[in-house]
Amino acid sequence: MTYKKIILRRGKEESLDRFHPWVFSGAIGHADNNIEEGDLVTVYTSDGRLIGNGHFQIGSIAVRILTFDSTTIDATFYERRLHEAYQLRLALDLQREDNNAFRLVHGEGDFLPGLVIDLYAGTAVVQAHSPGMHYARHQIAQALTSLPCVKNVYYKSETTLPYKAQLEQHNDYLVGSYDTDIAIENGMKFHVDWLRGQKTGFFVDQRENRSLLEKYARSRNVLNMFCYTGGFSFYALRGGAKLVHSVDSSAKAISLTNENVNLNFPDDERHQAFAEDAFKFLEKMPANLYDLIILDPPAFAKHKSALRNALVGYRKVNAKAFEKIGPGGILFTFSCSQAVSKEQFRLAVFSAAAQSRRRVRILHQLTQPADHPISIYHPEGEYLKGLVLYVE
Ligand code: SAH
């Protein structure tokens, strides 16, 4: 198969020779006429050496490379990559009787740049982050049906496709239809609202960190700040917490949290949920009420330009937690901003700790689980950072 051609400027192949899958627009010397967003293209060096095939788009990342050779990108290609992705999840033992929610495809980390797929009890929720993946959605859905774990395929890209592309971004079932929205993670049940929920409906990336929290929850008073669908809350209840308070500014998130807690712990009086702004809640809550606090805010920095404000945000929210957490308290604090590095996040938390003048030690340094793999050639794939801190 021949695709339209992109020729790089002299010397601009260095990162691609190290398998980094992005061609930036500034690296392009020549592009064939009539290349449209979402087209498959073949990229060559200035002296005519083939780099690989990928999806073209308008923007600072101009091409996302899918293969570093001349492989045709067709249904067979997607089937092969999806099977490889599934094999890895089987090796991670994520498809079990007591666990049927996990990330099946993590973009560049599964050598499918621009594609994210989460699986919830047989429904694959597909998100395209590039026009090329948007156009390939039917091929991808078809390929998904060859996996034994997939019954339905729901396409949801209303918030992830580049704004400039102006594609028709309808969300719909591409295969099958609605059956159940109850998925299981480590034996805990939860509803996933992929129709209206944030992202694909549930944050599978906190699975292992929730398990760790469960181990610390016994007899503690827990505050789950930015709770969304309540994941950390029901693990804390199972871990034997004395009380669990869940807080989120979204009323919808609070009702989802209540539903999920009820699914697992019906009428458990240890749990209460509050629809309130985090900063207001932290400001007015009494000191020493909580001795286990989770802070898992939304990405404060969606882009590099917002970095400074994001770091101030992380410092402020953590400073409140250090000020108010009871002695011997444990703080689980996270950042899911890709633009914020591990070091920058740690520095923000360090400044917050110093402000409180308390003795603080790092017990664990957390990250994303293995179903969100990071290609060694694409370090940008690492985004979730967490610290578990012991506060005296
Ligand atoms: N911890 C969750 C994921 C958190 S996502 C989990 O394990 O699933 C971030 C959440 O923060 C969203 O639900 C969003 O509604 C909430 N949020 C955003 N801004 C907020 C604010 N100022 N105060 C409280 N919650 C906020």
Side-chain angles (χ1 to χ4, degrees), residues 134-207:
H134 174 74
Y135 292 128
R137 66 193 183 281
H138 295 289
Q139 273 182 339
I140 293 163
Q142 194 52 43
L144 276 168
T145 60
S146 68
L147 298 179
C149 58
V150 174
K151 277 192 293 184
N152 311 305
V153 178
Y154 185 73
Y155 181 65
K156 185 183 192 209
S157 293
E158 61 191 344
T159 57
T160 55
L161 282 167
Y163 161 75
K164 284 199 199 98
Q166 306 215 325
L167 302 165
E168 231 184 296
Q169 295 167 14
H170 48 249
N171 296 344
D172 207 358
Y173 286 95
L174 300 180
V175 173
S177 59
Y178 175 85
D179 55 30
T180 177
D181 72 343
I182 296 183
I184 307 174
E185 180 185 274
N186 291 324
M188 312 270 348
K189 295 185 208 135
F190 53 87
H191 293 283
V192 186
D193 188 347
W194 49 79
L195 301 182
R196 288 170 296 271
Q198 299 177 36
K199 305 277 174 80
T200 61
F202 187 77
F203 288 92
V204 275
D205 57 358
Q206 290 286 22
R207 180 192 327 106

Side-chain angles (χ1 to χ4, degrees), residues 198 202-206 210 224-233 247-251 253 276-280 294-300 334 336:
Q198 299 177 36
F202 187 77
F203 288 92
V204 275
D205 57 358
Q206 290 286 22
R210 292 183 188 121
N224 180 10
M225 183 54 77
F226 308 99
C227 65
Y228 187 36
T229 53
F232 283 103
S233 301
V247 180
D248 199 288
S249 56
S250 145
E276 259 194 76
D277 173 73
F279 290 90
K280 283 193 191 137
I294 302 117
L295 298 176
D296 183 21
F300 281 161
F334 296 96
C336 60

Side-chain angles (χ1 to χ4, degrees), residues 106-136:
H106 186 57
E108 284 80 356
D110 284 291
F111 310 111
L112 286 166
L115 184 67
V116 165
I117 305 177
D118 285 334
L119 192 78
Y120 302 114
T123 296
V125 182
V126 175
Q127 271 191 340
H129 291 249
S130 69
M133 286 300 181
H134 174 74
Y135 292 128

Side-chain angles (χ1 to χ4, degrees), residues 2-5 35-36 38-42 53-56 66 72-74 78:
T2 51
Y3 300 119
K4 287 175 191 160
K5 262 191 208 171
I35 298 185
E36 307 255 359
D39 278 353
L40 283 161
V41 292
T42 303
N53 292 331
H55 282 140
F56 176 78
L66 298 166
T72 302
I73 313 299
D74 54 9
Y78 286 111

